[in-house]
Amino acid sequence: MRCTLSIKVILLVFCLTACLVPTALSAKAHLYISPDMQHVTIGQTFDVVVNIQDVADSPADSSMRGASVKIAFDPSVLQVVSQTEGSFLRTFGSTLPFPFHDNSAGWAQFDNAILGGSGVLAHGPGDLYSIRFEAVTNGTTT
């Protein structure tokens, strides 16, 4: 038996100073998931990586200090096993990752930010985080 996976991603970006101040990425930066589709068997675990690219190195463009990514999935088909911080934000300094999920409701969220007030901003491409799922039944989820 196989189940097919494609995932919708919602991105919220924030800036960390003395408090969290919401900002938005410009149209240049965007997220993508790799792989965007997988065929797996029931009981199999597999990883999905949330990547970001085209984050500019100027605050006027789309540089960033942190991100909050939420992924929705059909909990009757998939269950989250674990979430792991990617290398993108860590490249620019110490980070504070905070993964959480609700397998009953069918969502996983990963918040992360570069710590400190040095003014360092993340830019370029990279992986924000990976999520390990287990296929629990036959089906498709988007």
Side-chain angles (χ1 to χ4, degrees):
M1 293 186 179
R2 300 176 129 192
C3 74
T4 303
L5 165 73
S6 63
I7 301 174
K8 295 179 183 177
V9 178
I10 301 166
L11 171 69
L12 303 173
V13 177
F14 58 87
C15 187
L16 184 66
T17 55
C19 61
L20 297 178
V21 180
T23 63
L25 286 178
S26 77
K28 294 179 186 178
H30 65 279
L31 290 178
Y32 64 97
I33 297 172
S34 61
D36 59 353
M37 183 178 288
Q38 294 188 54
H39 297 281
V40 297
T41 58
I42 295 172
Q44 181 179 348
T45 60
F46 58 95
D47 295 332
V48 173
V49 179
V50 178
N51 300 283
I52 192 163
Q53 68 181 31
D54 300 327
V55 179
D57 59 359
S58 165
D61 294 323
S62 63
S63 56
M64 59 188 273
R65 292 194 50 85
S68 177
V69 180
K70 187 171 187 178
I71 293 177
F73 58 91
D74 182 343
S76 70
V77 176
L78 299 176
Q79 294 287 283
V80 172
V81 174
S82 63
Q83 298 178 83
T84 306
E85 177 184 17
S87 62
F88 179 66
L89 290 176
R90 277 195 326 253
T91 301
F92 300 96
S94 297
T95 58
L96 179 63
F98 186 69
F100 49 106
H101 64 273
D102 184 335
N103 278 327
S104 297
W107 59 266
Q109 185 165 333
F110 196 89
D111 298 340
N112 200 359
I114 301 170
L115 299 175
S118 66
V120 174
L121 297 170
H123 57 278
D127 58 318
L128 288 173
Y129 88 104
S130 64
I131 182 168
R132 177 161 289 168
F133 286 105
E134 178 181 1
V136 294
T137 191
N138 193 29
T140 301
T141 184
T142 58

